[in-house]
Each structure stands twice: as C-alpha cells, then as structure tokens.
Amino acid sequence: MNHEPPQHGGDPGQQPSQGWAPRDPSTAAATSDPQRTNGATDAKGRAGRPKRPKRTGWRRIIPTWRMVLGGVLLLALLLVGGFIAGYQLIDIPAANAAATAQANVYVYADGKTVIARDGEINREKIPLDRIPRPIQHAVLAAEDRDFYSEDAIDIKATLRAGWNTVTGKGRQGGSTITQQYVKNYYLGQEQTVIRKAKEFFISIKLDREKSKDEILQGYLNTSYFGRNAYGIQAASHAYYGKDVEDLDTGQGAYLASLLNAPSSYDVVAHPENKKAVLARWDYVLDGMVEHDWLSAADRDAMTFPVPDKAKPATALSGQRGYIVQAVEAYLAANKIIDADTLATGGYRITTTLQRKKQDALVEAVKDNVLSKTSDDRPADRNVRAGGASVDPATGHVVALYGGVDYTEQFVNNATRRDYQVGSTFKPFVLAAALANGSTTQKDRPITPNTRYDGTNERTVQSSTGSTGYSPANEDDVDYGSITVREATDKSVNAVYAQMAQDVGPQEVKDTAIALGIPKDTPDLTASPSIALGPATASAVDMASAYATLADHGRQRPYTLVAKISKDGSELDLPARTTRQAVSREAADTTTSVLRSVVDGGTGTAALGAGRPAAGKTGTAEEDRAAWFAGYTPDLATVIAVMGQDPDTGVQKPLYGALGLARMNGGGAPAQTWAAYTRAALEGSPVRAFELEADEGPEEPDPDESPGEEDGTEEAEGGDTEDTGESDDPPGRENSREDSPQDQDGPRSRTPDAAGAPRHPGAATHAGAPARPTTGQSPATGEGRPGGDGAGAHRSGRDGSGARTEDGRPEDDPDENRRTEDERAGNAAPALLPAHP
C-alpha cells in the first residue's frame, strides 16, 4: 500500500511515478488548481508567504500588545484581590496614643505633692453646631473643598496634589478630610506605606459608618493648630482669646490656614513667614468665594486679623512653668532624656524641690521686691527677680524662683545666663589666691590680712609692669592702704582686680569652674577684669558654687531631679561624684571673710536671717542687676533683682526702682535672702560654721609705717557695689599698730587638698603663735559666747557683741593697738586661723 501523500503540484492528470520527485525543481513549481473545491493552499504557496522580521535593537524592549494586555489583566486581578483582602483584614482601630495622651507629672521631693502636669493635650471638644458655618466653610476651603460630595478617597485630588508638587506649585496634600481625621485620631503622623494603606481602608469603612458631619466634627476637634492647641475651640482661645462662636470669618480663615503648617504660620512667633501666611489666607478666602460661601464684596473688605501674643497654658502659671522648664532643660543637658521622648508623655519626675522652701522663696520675693513696686514709677515696670537655693550637703536645688508668673514672663530668671554677676564673683578670686598659695607682686602671701592699695583707678600691675587696666571703685572712693578683708567688706574693685592679676586670671577662672561655675559661662574671660564679675552665670550656677564654699570646698554638681520613672520602671540618672574643689582651709578662710561682709560690710541686711551667715553683694554694670549670694552651714541661696524692658527684652538700669535712688545687692536682694533663709530653716537647729581658717599675719599700715609698701590691684570699671553699713566709713584706713609678736613673720599654712606644699612665702615661722580652732577658747577649747554661732565680727565686736561708736571693741583702751587676748582670737572665734 502506498502511503505517499498525493502531490498537488503539476498539471492535472499528470502524476509522478512511484513518488520520485522530478529532477528539475522548476517542474514541481506549479500554482494551485483553481478547480479544487476545498480551497487548500499548497505547501509551496505557504512557503512563499513573507516571514515576520525578528525584533532587533531597541524594539526588543517594547512589550507587545499581548504582553501589555496580560499585564493589565494581572494587575487588575492583584488590585482587586488586594482590595478585598485589605478591606477584610483591616478594621477601624481604637484611638491612637496622641488622642489619649498622658501627661508628664512633676512632684516635689516628697514624691507625692504635685507641682505641675505638663504634656496634657490642650483640647476642648465641642459639637459641630457650635462652630459657625463660615468657620466650617473656611476649613473646607483650606483642606477639602469637595468634602460633602466626594467619597472617602479622592483619587483626582491625590493625583492633582502630586502634579502640583512636581510642577513647583507647592507641596499640597491629596488627603481628604476623612483621611486626615483617620490619621489624627486612629493612626499617627509617620510617612510609611503601611500607614497609608491602613488609612485608605479605614477611611473607606469610616465613611460608610459615619456621616459627613460626624467626620467633620471629629476632624475639627482633633486637628493641631499650633500653640499646644488641639481642636478649633482651643485654637480660638490660643490665638484670639475667645470662643469659636465669636470668631469672624477672617479669623476663622486664619485658623484654617494654620492647618497646613501650624508652627511656621504663627505670624507672632515667626514674623519672617508673614508673606507665606498671607498667601495661604488669601487662598482660603478665594476658595470660599469660588464656592459661593463668601461674597466677593465681603472678601475685598477684609483685612488680615493679626492674632494675639502666645500665652502658655494656665496649667503652667505661677512658678510651675519655670520649674517644668528648668527640669526639662536639666534632663536634656545631662542626656537623661531628650525633649522629643519626654514629649510622648507618661513620665513621673520627682524633683529635688521642697515645698516648704519653695513657698518661702516665693513669699520672700513677694514681700521684699514685688510688693514694693508701683505703677506710678516707670522704673518698676522693668523689675525682674530670680533666685535659687541649694543644699550644700547634697547639691539638691531645694527652691527656685523664675519670675512673677510663667504665663506673663516666659524667661526663667533663675536659669538665664545673660546678666553680669558683679562682685559676687570676688570670693572666687580670694579662694583661688588661698588655694594656690598666691603672693602679691612683692612676694607676700595673700591672706585676709594682706594689704593692698585701694586707690581709685589705680592701674593694675603685672610682673612686667603696667597692664594699662585702671578700674574705678564704687563712687570713685579712694581707700588707700586696705586689707583684703576690709576690701571684701567694702567691695573695693581696685584691690580685687590687682589680686586677680597676682593670682593669675587663668587660675581664677579655673578655680571658679572647679567651684561650680560652668566653663561655658558667657564672658568668663581670663583677664584681671574677671574679678569684677562680667561673667553672666545664672542664679542656680552661683548658688551651686557658693554651696561648695559652704561645704568646706567639697563640690558636687547640682541636680533638680531625684527620680524619674515611666510605667513603674525607673530610669537611670547620671552619677554625681563629690570632689575637693579647693582645700578646706582655702574654702573656710574665704567663708570667714564673707562672714565679715554680713557682720559689718555691705551685706548686713542678711543678719535678718537670725543665723550665722556668710555672703557677698554684687551689682552689674550700670546697675542693671543687683545680687546677694550667701549661705549658712545648711543652705546656699542666691537672689538677683534684674532690670529688663517688658516689651523689647532689653536690659535696663534699675535707677529709681522700688523707690530707691540706686539698687544694690545689700538692699532688696539681701533682705529677700534673709527673709527666705529665716523661713526656710525655721524649726531646724541653729548651726555654727565649723571653720579651719587662716587669716595670716597682720601687716602694718604703710601710711603709719613709712617704708612699707604694698602692690596695687584694680579691675574693670562698672561694678556699682552698694555701700551699706561697714565697720569704717569709705576712705578710712582703719590702721592699727601691731605688737612685736604679730610682726615676726607669716604663720604656717596647711597644704592644699592635693597635698602639695603651700607657696614658699607662707612657710612656718617659729615665732608665730598658734591660734585655736574656731569657736573655742584658747585655754579650754570650749565654745564661748560671741563665737561663730553668735556671728561676732573680728574687728567690730567684743565677746558679747558690743560695739563702740567707731567700730572697735568696747574694752580696747588704745585706738592703735590690739590686746593680746584679741590676737589670740577671743573676740572673733568664727574668723580664727586654721589649726596649727
């Protein structure tokens, strides 16, 4: 059987024999038979059709229509499947953390009494019918003009926003009000794909479950408008001080503008952005006109409604805001917790502040400063007060006064670092001289009895000659030859500027830092003028440094926080180590000199505390601030009265303030210090200073002992120290003739804290008599009346505290001679030298 397929080429009726192909290929090429009824095309015809050319070059990367169609179908299937899955899996969640935010709670040291709650959401929810229609329309014009007619998701708006952003017409949100409400109330502000996906499905479900009015009401009550205002009612009060019902259309349009950029569009806080704010305000009003929500005539008649100045939340009124501010700054500066983390809320912060002492400080400032101001005196409108109190034994800040009210004066006067500390810096110069065993230009050891030339505007001298620096004394008084102790009592600039040069300005700076003054304090410059206090340390800084002197030279960083916890878990606080900043003898000797300032110098008002006290007055340049820094064995406190224009913030002189011709540290600051210290320590035992001080040998007055001269010292002008009651009137030299025993030479001095020997000039003299320790009789070593606890002055009181008219002890028969008993220390045990 022949299986050869029939051949369709060639003439009809002619068949090739036995299946053999013709030798000549052309004989096989014949057209198809037109008479065939099946319409089949022969193989040769098929082979003759042109082949589709292969895709080459760049055409290979272009998908075919079949590929495009397949891709579209696949994508559609994925989208539909994803939508169904997302809709089924994603439910409307509970409100987010921001919608139910916790507050940070600040409590006193007792761990129970609440000082303030910070971080609470400033929100007042109100129904939609309380919000006037024009205000609602302004919000719609700003955020979603087609809200009532669109679905929950507006694809056109999303695409339009993207196009406007790409083409440079500004970054615009494509989210509907429904989406924004979902983001604010149910989700968060993070920009992630997952969050956007959740927002998409929740918005669709929410739009099906709630009415448009309900969604708009929720949006207006949860949106953030800046100034810690959540919701349009809180925003209305924050910016215009009225309920939302009382807003006019222009004010409502401004609040609606804020939704786009709450912080940047606050024209009071950021006046540099006013142009952008006005553009946004115009955009809102024009949109209202476009949708017939506002007539063109009313639109043209409007002027921009400038909002009120920002006011802190009433929860931070009084001292609460200052305390919260100071604690937050302390936490951030010490890297305990940053501001952003703290803002999440939920922290319980136990401060070191003590309620009794805090209340006492506020009351003392009120009674001695604020109550003395008057609306009739222009200078009184510039009066500001600040203060801080530190426990020397722990470094805890136990009281803080930041200003009259945080809602009225926002700058914290207790922590600000922009006012000169004046002569309250001088004790650091003396402490540096004593700690370093410094000598004068003529190699005499610097002690409380060392004499200096207190001539007004005397040029400071260095080892190479004149420095060219000639500071003036208070009221240009010439003091002539004067001891360091007397120069401290009277706050003589010429003496302390020269002493700073003798010690070395860098050594003075280093000592101040060691005592507790921050090294980054503005104007803490190593020059002779450093003695006059151009540095602008804060009241807290100064109180910490004086606390170091009170604790015999032991320094520990101050702290405002005793404990911080969240959800029952306590956070770690940085370690606070105690170190010996200066030797005990240097610190105690400085304290003995500062006791003289209180007992008979410029700080006698501090005696009102009723306790042994040491301190120093100070006045900033041009009387822009007056200070008193002082301490008892239990408490170191600094009070400052400052002058600042309430409108411009510019520092102002205090001439005429509180009805006084001049403001000085011995006046209101010292009086406030005394009132506070008396109240703060009420009920606690009266403690005497336990000093190991070294006054040094007395030196003859060169005016009465010709041939004996001393070096000079001066400092930068501008210290306007007050001239309160002192042992001698200004200019009197208070000279005394020393007995032969006192002229044998300098007494021995103990080594400093590091064990290094003192300056060679302070070597032990065999003829120098030893003095008993403070508060003891030289014979028995027991405490005596008139000792340190009684606050007796070394050169102006006898053992019972009696004082003669010219300041000498009543039993002194010779004006120019001191008795053997006085030199032994019976008259002033609080100021006696160190143990032998």
Side-chain angles (χ1 to χ4, degrees), residues 269-487:
H270 298 282
E272 69 277 8
N273 293 338
K274 187 174 183 178
K275 183 177 180 181
V277 173
L278 290 175
R280 183 68 179 174
W281 185 69
D282 289 337
Y283 169 79
V284 174
L285 294 176
D286 292 343
M288 296 179 69
V289 173
E290 180 183 335
H291 283 68
D292 296 326
W293 294 329
L294 178 68
S295 70
D298 289 341
R299 160 73 181 93
D300 293 339
M302 288 184 181
T303 57
F304 181 73
V306 178
D308 300 335
K309 291 183 178 180
K311 297 179 180 179
T314 55
L316 299 180
S317 61
Q319 296 303 304
R320 291 188 288 271
Y322 298 121
I323 293 172
V324 169
Q325 183 188 74
V327 170
E328 289 182 351
Y330 176 84
L331 292 173
N334 288 275
K335 297 180 173 33
I336 299 171
I337 184 172
D338 60 74
D340 291 339
T341 304
L342 188 64
T344 62
Y347 291 93
R348 185 177 183 84
I349 302 165
T350 302
T351 71
T352 58
L353 301 173
Q354 299 177 17
R355 177 66 179 270
K356 175 185 176 181
K357 293 180 173 62
Q358 179 67 27
D359 291 345
L361 183 54
V362 172
E363 193 67 22
V365 173
K366 179 181 178 181
D367 292 345
N368 293 277
V369 179
L370 302 182
S371 67
K372 297 182 179 179
T373 60
S374 171
D375 293 337
D376 298 331
R377 288 190 294 268
D380 283 350
R381 69 189 295 269
N382 301 325
V383 172
R384 300 288 182 270
S389 187
V390 174
D391 182 347
T394 62
H396 289 177
V397 178
V398 296
L400 182 149
Y401 186 89
V404 62
D405 192 312
Y406 185 70
T407 62
E408 298 178 22
Q409 298 174 9
F410 312 136
V411 179
N412 194 331
N413 295 327
T415 58
R416 67 190 302 172
R417 291 177 176 171
D418 58 348
Y419 279 86
Q420 295 178 347
V421 300
S423 292
T424 56
F425 195 91
K426 287 174 179 173
F428 306 152
V429 180
L430 177 58
L434 298 169
N436 289 282
S438 302
T439 63
T440 66
Q441 294 294 317
K442 295 191 176 183
D443 292 328
R444 292 197 309 275
I446 298 176
T447 71
N449 285 325
T450 301
R451 286 190 172 273
Y452 272 93
D453 188 341
T455 300
N456 183 53
E457 296 186 348
R458 178 66 182 272
T459 303
V460 174
Q461 302 294 315
S462 69
S463 59
T464 58
S466 172
T467 63
Y469 177 53
S470 306
N473 292 330
E474 167 78 4
D475 295 329
D476 295 322
V477 176
D478 282 325
Y479 290 95
S481 177
I482 190 172
T483 66
V484 168
R485 183 182 297 277
E486 293 168 334

Side-chain angles (χ1 to χ4, degrees), residues 555-640:
Q555 195 274 338
R556 54 187 61 79
Y558 77 83
T559 181
L560 273 161
V561 178
K563 184 171 68 173
I564 179 170
S565 62
K566 183 174 185 178
D567 298 329
S569 298
E570 193 168 330
L571 278 66
D572 292 332
L573 296 176
R576 296 171 54 250
T577 57
T578 301
R579 59 186 180 83
Q580 195 74 33
V582 296
S583 66
R584 172 164 185 165
E585 181 183 298
D588 287 0
T589 303
T590 302
T591 297
S592 76
V593 173
L594 297 183
R595 289 215 59 202
S596 296
V597 174
V598 172
D599 288 343
T602 57
T604 54
L607 291 171
R611 291 173 181 261
K616 184 70 185 74
T617 55
T619 312
E621 188 175 3
E622 296 183 359
D623 283 14
R624 293 174 180 170
W627 299 72
F628 184 80
Y631 51 94
T632 69
D634 304 292
L635 206 56
T637 306
V638 173
I639 302 294

